[in-house]
Amino acid sequence: METSSENQLLETGATLLAQWCQPTENFTENDISDKLDSLASEVRNNLQTTWPQHPVLKATIDVKNVNSDLWSCDQCKMVLDAINRVLFNKHHFQGNKSRYYDINNSYINQVLTLETGIPITLSIVYSAIARRLGIVCEPVNSPSHFLLRWKQDLTNTEEHMYTYIDVFNGGKFLSYGQLPVALNVPESLLNLNSMRITSPVQVLERMIRNLIAIGREQDRMGDNLLCLRNALEFSVLISPDDFEMRLLLVRVNLHLNINLPDVINNLQLIADEDQNRMGLVAYLMNAAQTQMEDSKENKNKKKIKTKTRKKPKDALYSVGLIMKHRRYDYDCVIYGWDSKCEATQEWILQMGVNRLPHKDKQPFYNVLVADGTNRYAAEESLDFNSECCRITHPEIGKYFTSYETTHYIPNNEKTSEYPQDIEMTARLVHEHYHS
């Protein structure tokens, strides 16, 4: 793939990966694009003082359709020099050599905020800024670390056509002949085939492999395990035929005792496609089914406990209220609550609850979501739903008898479990919607 329109996928893919692996961080693709636009604008300002006649200063560039350099070789070099001045002299972007395996180095939002990263994420930032200024910088998965290449001399041989950019080391410009020393690799490992451009999917796959490698280092259980699980889920999404990643995701979910139906579905898929893994699949399938049966047995043994409020802070909301999630914007109805989070420590870490302002030391609510899922939401994440829409969830009839426009009426079993909530719901509905 030789078109720089592919580079657009680099920042988009990096953003999607960062969003997927940081469920408690609130940022959008537009937020990332705005930051890159701002940096590109600073480069223009820098050029204005050094090369006021540069054509990029008066150009309107369609970023998605920059398929080749828009300027002459000398003009492109001026822009690249200005990018280096802004990124590395003004903002002090740098490779995070002291904490290379820090998870944040792999998330583009964190790289733009902290101004540190690893070669691959710094290269994505650099190439995105260059494209905004009409220059194509292509990703190269070199034998040592990730580089960019710029097609400087179209008339020369392939060996001498490109200038390579080492963004991890201050945007240093390198010729092909300088690469062995600069990258500290034997010349025998370096050839034109090893310096080909890398497709966006391959770039994303390498980023995921980096995160999986970090996640496997479980000396600090929690964030690393969350990182591993999120990266594996994303890997399966973009590479559904990678059974090694599916198996690793199965093992993580079994360890956490979560998503057991998905575990069984994944194992069945692997069994259907890869007969060589039947022994391992059968072992893991038996473990999953045993865990599911144990969960059902424990649920059946569990007696219904009456939930009453001893203190006002035990729960601000009540069963039957129609709510909206502040971060994820989903509509839901409350069907239960706990005065503090009752989930396992593994779930708390896996879901990033420890990153919330009040962490797990706050009421948590069982909610039926309009998309058909059941979720466990922190009190600080919920707010009254001004639209009071009907929640079309298959389990509505399991807990409620009717829909009353502003709230739901719980059935006898749910009323027995939360005896104070009918009165409290009526009061809250009146205060919020009718006062």
Side-chain angles (χ1 to χ4, degrees), residues 39 86-87 90-96 109-117 122:
L39 288 168
V86 169
L87 286 186
K90 179 181 178 181
H91 285 278
H92 304 291
F93 274 82
Q94 60 183 321
N96 195 345
N109 62 309
Q110 302 289 358
V111 171
L112 287 169
T113 299
L114 302 174
E115 299 183 345
T116 62
L122 290 171

PDB file of all heavy atoms in Angstrom, residues 39 86-87 90-96 109-117 122:
ATOM      1  N   LEU A  39      -0.929  20.951  16.661  1.00  0.00           N
ATOM      2  CA  LEU A  39       0.518  20.823  16.468  1.00  0.00           C
ATOM      3  C   LEU A  39       0.907  21.209  15.043  1.00  0.00           C
ATOM      4  O   LEU A  39       1.935  21.878  14.820  1.00  0.00           O
ATOM      5  CB  LEU A  39       0.965  19.401  16.778  1.00  0.00           C
ATOM      6  CG  LEU A  39       0.943  19.010  18.261  1.00  0.00           C
ATOM      7  CD1 LEU A  39       1.129  17.505  18.429  1.00  0.00           C
ATOM      8  CD2 LEU A  39       2.031  19.763  19.034  1.00  0.00           C
ATOM      9  N   VAL A  86       9.280  22.018  16.371  1.00  0.00           N
ATOM     10  CA  VAL A  86       8.088  22.132  17.217  1.00  0.00           C
ATOM     11  C   VAL A  86       7.962  20.943  18.169  1.00  0.00           C
ATOM     12  O   VAL A  86       7.754  21.106  19.372  1.00  0.00           O
ATOM     13  CB  VAL A  86       6.821  22.269  16.346  1.00  0.00           C
ATOM     14  CG1 VAL A  86       5.555  22.115  17.199  1.00  0.00           C
ATOM     15  CG2 VAL A  86       6.808  23.617  15.634  1.00  0.00           C
ATOM     16  N   LEU A  87       8.091  19.728  17.636  1.00  0.00           N
ATOM     17  CA  LEU A  87       7.890  18.535  18.473  1.00  0.00           C
ATOM     18  C   LEU A  87       9.011  18.351  19.494  1.00  0.00           C
ATOM     19  O   LEU A  87       8.734  18.065  20.666  1.00  0.00           O
ATOM     20  CB  LEU A  87       7.788  17.284  17.597  1.00  0.00           C
ATOM     21  CG  LEU A  87       6.493  17.075  16.807  1.00  0.00           C
ATOM     22  CD1 LEU A  87       6.519  15.718  16.112  1.00  0.00           C
ATOM     23  CD2 LEU A  87       5.273  17.174  17.696  1.00  0.00           C
ATOM     24  N   LYS A  90      10.462  22.584  21.024  1.00  0.00           N
ATOM     25  CA  LYS A  90       9.462  23.362  21.752  1.00  0.00           C
ATOM     26  C   LYS A  90       8.703  22.504  22.757  1.00  0.00           C
ATOM     27  O   LYS A  90       8.610  22.839  23.937  1.00  0.00           O
ATOM     28  CB  LYS A  90       8.498  24.010  20.769  1.00  0.00           C
ATOM     29  CG  LYS A  90       7.397  24.830  21.449  1.00  0.00           C
ATOM     30  CD  LYS A  90       6.442  25.426  20.420  1.00  0.00           C
ATOM     31  CE  LYS A  90       5.326  26.210  21.113  1.00  0.00           C
ATOM     32  NZ  LYS A  90       4.364  26.790  20.123  1.00  0.00           N
ATOM     33  N   HIS A  91       8.137  21.387  22.297  1.00  0.00           N
ATOM     34  CA  HIS A  91       7.320  20.544  23.174  1.00  0.00           C
ATOM     35  C   HIS A  91       8.122  19.458  23.884  1.00  0.00           C
ATOM     36  O   HIS A  91       7.632  18.845  24.827  1.00  0.00           O
ATOM     37  CB  HIS A  91       6.179  19.896  22.377  1.00  0.00           C
ATOM     38  CG  HIS A  91       5.074  20.839  22.042  1.00  0.00           C
ATOM     39  ND1 HIS A  91       4.076  21.161  22.928  1.00  0.00           N
ATOM     40  CD2 HIS A  91       4.814  21.547  20.912  1.00  0.00           C
ATOM     41  CE1 HIS A  91       3.236  22.011  22.371  1.00  0.00           C
ATOM     42  NE2 HIS A  91       3.659  22.268  21.140  1.00  0.00           N
ATOM     43  N   HIS A  92       9.312  19.173  23.413  1.00  0.00           N
ATOM     44  CA  HIS A  92      10.186  18.176  24.048  1.00  0.00           C
ATOM     45  C   HIS A  92       9.589  16.769  24.014  1.00  0.00           C
ATOM     46  O   HIS A  92       9.726  15.998  24.976  1.00  0.00           O
ATOM     47  CB  HIS A  92      10.515  18.578  25.491  1.00  0.00           C
ATOM     48  CG  HIS A  92      11.127  19.946  25.596  1.00  0.00           C
ATOM     49  ND1 HIS A  92      12.392  20.238  25.124  1.00  0.00           N
ATOM     50  CD2 HIS A  92      10.625  21.110  26.095  1.00  0.00           C
ATOM     51  CE1 HIS A  92      12.657  21.514  25.326  1.00  0.00           C
ATOM     52  NE2 HIS A  92      11.601  22.083  25.912  1.00  0.00           N
ATOM     53  N   PHE A  93       8.911  16.424  22.918  1.00  0.00           N
ATOM     54  CA  PHE A  93       8.530  15.024  22.715  1.00  0.00           C
ATOM     55  C   PHE A  93       9.800  14.191  22.724  1.00  0.00           C
ATOM     56  O   PHE A  93      10.844  14.599  22.190  1.00  0.00           O
ATOM     57  CB  PHE A  93       7.815  14.854  21.374  1.00  0.00           C
ATOM     58  CG  PHE A  93       6.340  15.126  21.422  1.00  0.00           C
ATOM     59  CD1 PHE A  93       5.863  16.426  21.357  1.00  0.00           C
ATOM     60  CD2 PHE A  93       5.421  14.089  21.520  1.00  0.00           C
ATOM     61  CE1 PHE A  93       4.504  16.691  21.398  1.00  0.00           C
ATOM     62  CE2 PHE A  93       4.067  14.335  21.561  1.00  0.00           C
ATOM     63  CZ  PHE A  93       3.598  15.641  21.502  1.00  0.00           C
ATOM     64  N   GLN A  94       9.709  12.992  23.318  1.00  0.00           N
ATOM     65  CA  GLN A  94      10.890  12.143  23.379  1.00  0.00           C
ATOM     66  C   GLN A  94      10.496  10.689  23.560  1.00  0.00           C
ATOM     67  O   GLN A  94       9.403  10.369  24.030  1.00  0.00           O
ATOM     68  CB  GLN A  94      11.800  12.571  24.524  1.00  0.00           C
ATOM     69  CG  GLN A  94      11.129  12.500  25.896  1.00  0.00           C
ATOM     70  CD  GLN A  94      12.027  12.988  27.004  1.00  0.00           C
ATOM     71  OE1 GLN A  94      13.223  12.724  26.992  1.00  0.00           O
ATOM     72  NE2 GLN A  94      11.457  13.709  27.964  1.00  0.00           N
ATOM     73  N   GLY A  95      11.412   9.814  23.176  1.00  0.00           N
ATOM     74  CA  GLY A  95      11.214   8.404  23.438  1.00  0.00           C
ATOM     75  C   GLY A  95      11.360   8.128  24.924  1.00  0.00           C
ATOM     76  O   GLY A  95      12.284   8.639  25.571  1.00  0.00           O
ATOM     77  N   ASN A  96      10.436   7.340  25.472  1.00  0.00           N
ATOM     78  CA  ASN A  96      10.453   7.057  26.909  1.00  0.00           C
ATOM     79  C   ASN A  96      11.419   5.889  27.166  1.00  0.00           C
ATOM     80  O   ASN A  96      11.009   4.746  27.350  1.00  0.00           O
ATOM     81  CB  ASN A  96       9.039   6.709  27.387  1.00  0.00           C
ATOM     82  CG  ASN A  96       8.917   6.771  28.900  1.00  0.00           C
ATOM     83  OD1 ASN A  96       9.915   6.796  29.600  1.00  0.00           O
ATOM     84  ND2 ASN A  96       7.704   6.795  29.399  1.00  0.00           N
ATOM     85  N   ASN A 109      -3.553   9.004  23.012  1.00  0.00           N
ATOM     86  CA  ASN A 109      -4.009  10.139  23.824  1.00  0.00           C
ATOM     87  C   ASN A 109      -3.001  10.463  24.916  1.00  0.00           C
ATOM     88  O   ASN A 109      -2.737  11.631  25.218  1.00  0.00           O
ATOM     89  CB  ASN A 109      -5.381   9.852  24.432  1.00  0.00           C
ATOM     90  CG  ASN A 109      -5.371   8.661  25.378  1.00  0.00           C
ATOM     91  OD1 ASN A 109      -4.885   7.579  25.032  1.00  0.00           O
ATOM     92  ND2 ASN A 109      -5.893   8.835  26.573  1.00  0.00           N
ATOM     93  N   GLN A 110      -2.420   9.427  25.522  1.00  0.00           N
ATOM     94  CA  GLN A 110      -1.430   9.638  26.567  1.00  0.00           C
ATOM     95  C   GLN A 110      -0.122  10.181  25.989  1.00  0.00           C
ATOM     96  O   GLN A 110       0.539  11.033  26.601  1.00  0.00           O
ATOM     97  CB  GLN A 110      -1.162   8.328  27.316  1.00  0.00           C
ATOM     98  CG  GLN A 110      -2.382   7.698  27.947  1.00  0.00           C
ATOM     99  CD  GLN A 110      -2.891   8.472  29.155  1.00  0.00           C
ATOM    100  OE1 GLN A 110      -2.319   9.476  29.551  1.00  0.00           O
ATOM    101  NE2 GLN A 110      -3.978   8.009  29.740  1.00  0.00           N
ATOM    102  N   VAL A 111       0.260   9.703  24.822  1.00  0.00           N
ATOM    103  CA  VAL A 111       1.484  10.184  24.177  1.00  0.00           C
ATOM    104  C   VAL A 111       1.372  11.676  23.873  1.00  0.00           C
ATOM    105  O   VAL A 111       2.314  12.444  24.102  1.00  0.00           O
ATOM    106  CB  VAL A 111       1.754   9.392  22.879  1.00  0.00           C
ATOM    107  CG1 VAL A 111       2.889  10.018  22.083  1.00  0.00           C
ATOM    108  CG2 VAL A 111       2.090   7.936  23.209  1.00  0.00           C
ATOM    109  N   LEU A 112       0.204  12.112  23.384  1.00  0.00           N
ATOM    110  CA  LEU A 112       0.010  13.526  23.076  1.00  0.00           C
ATOM    111  C   LEU A 112      -0.027  14.385  24.336  1.00  0.00           C
ATOM    112  O   LEU A 112       0.357  15.556  24.315  1.00  0.00           O
ATOM    113  CB  LEU A 112      -1.284  13.711  22.280  1.00  0.00           C
ATOM    114  CG  LEU A 112      -1.232  13.231  20.828  1.00  0.00           C
ATOM    115  CD1 LEU A 112      -2.623  13.197  20.216  1.00  0.00           C
ATOM    116  CD2 LEU A 112      -0.311  14.123  20.003  1.00  0.00           C
ATOM    117  N   THR A 113      -0.489  13.800  25.436  1.00  0.00           N
ATOM    118  CA  THR A 113      -0.550  14.542  26.703  1.00  0.00           C
ATOM    119  C   THR A 113       0.790  14.564  27.416  1.00  0.00           C
ATOM    120  O   THR A 113       1.275  15.619  27.860  1.00  0.00           O
ATOM    121  CB  THR A 113      -1.615  13.927  27.630  1.00  0.00           C
ATOM    122  OG1 THR A 113      -2.894  14.003  26.999  1.00  0.00           O
ATOM    123  CG2 THR A 113      -1.671  14.662  28.968  1.00  0.00           C
ATOM    124  N   LEU A 114       1.418  13.395  27.531  1.00  0.00           N
ATOM    125  CA  LEU A 114       2.672  13.275  28.279  1.00  0.00           C
ATOM    126  C   LEU A 114       3.901  13.623  27.446  1.00  0.00           C
ATOM    127  O   LEU A 114       4.980  13.843  27.986  1.00  0.00           O
ATOM    128  CB  LEU A 114       2.813  11.848  28.825  1.00  0.00           C
ATOM    129  CG  LEU A 114       1.675  11.368  29.739  1.00  0.00           C
ATOM    130  CD1 LEU A 114       1.864   9.889  30.074  1.00  0.00           C
ATOM    131  CD2 LEU A 114       1.613  12.206  30.999  1.00  0.00           C
ATOM    132  N   GLU A 115       3.732  13.625  26.111  1.00  0.00           N
ATOM    133  CA  GLU A 115       4.795  13.952  25.165  1.00  0.00           C
ATOM    134  C   GLU A 115       5.963  12.976  25.248  1.00  0.00           C
ATOM    135  O   GLU A 115       7.118  13.330  25.046  1.00  0.00           O
ATOM    136  CB  GLU A 115       5.258  15.407  25.346  1.00  0.00           C
ATOM    137  CG  GLU A 115       4.113  16.394  25.101  1.00  0.00           C
ATOM    138  CD  GLU A 115       4.530  17.854  25.187  1.00  0.00           C
ATOM    139  OE1 GLU A 115       5.630  18.119  25.714  1.00  0.00           O
ATOM    140  OE2 GLU A 115       3.752  18.720  24.736  1.00  0.00           O
ATOM    141  N   THR A 116       5.647  11.735  25.590  1.00  0.00           N
ATOM    142  CA  THR A 116       6.614  10.648  25.550  1.00  0.00           C
ATOM    143  C   THR A 116       5.926   9.431  24.930  1.00  0.00           C
ATOM    144  O   THR A 116       4.703   9.306  24.958  1.00  0.00           O
ATOM    145  CB  THR A 116       7.124  10.259  26.954  1.00  0.00           C
ATOM    146  OG1 THR A 116       6.027   9.801  27.748  1.00  0.00           O
ATOM    147  CG2 THR A 116       7.790  11.426  27.648  1.00  0.00           C
ATOM    148  N   GLY A 117       6.736   8.524  24.394  1.00  0.00           N
ATOM    149  CA  GLY A 117       6.140   7.336  23.791  1.00  0.00           C
ATOM    150  C   GLY A 117       7.207   6.373  23.330  1.00  0.00           C
ATOM    151  O   GLY A 117       8.401   6.532  23.620  1.00  0.00           O
ATOM    152  N   LEU A 122       5.017   7.391  18.552  1.00  0.00           N
ATOM    153  CA  LEU A 122       5.607   8.667  18.157  1.00  0.00           C
ATOM    154  C   LEU A 122       5.621   8.817  16.640  1.00  0.00           C
ATOM    155  O   LEU A 122       5.397   9.918  16.108  1.00  0.00           O
ATOM    156  CB  LEU A 122       7.031   8.788  18.716  1.00  0.00           C
ATOM    157  CG  LEU A 122       7.147   8.962  20.236  1.00  0.00           C
ATOM    158  CD1 LEU A 122       8.601   8.837  20.678  1.00  0.00           C
ATOM    159  CD2 LEU A 122       6.565  10.302  20.683  1.00  0.00           C
TER     160      LEU A 122
END
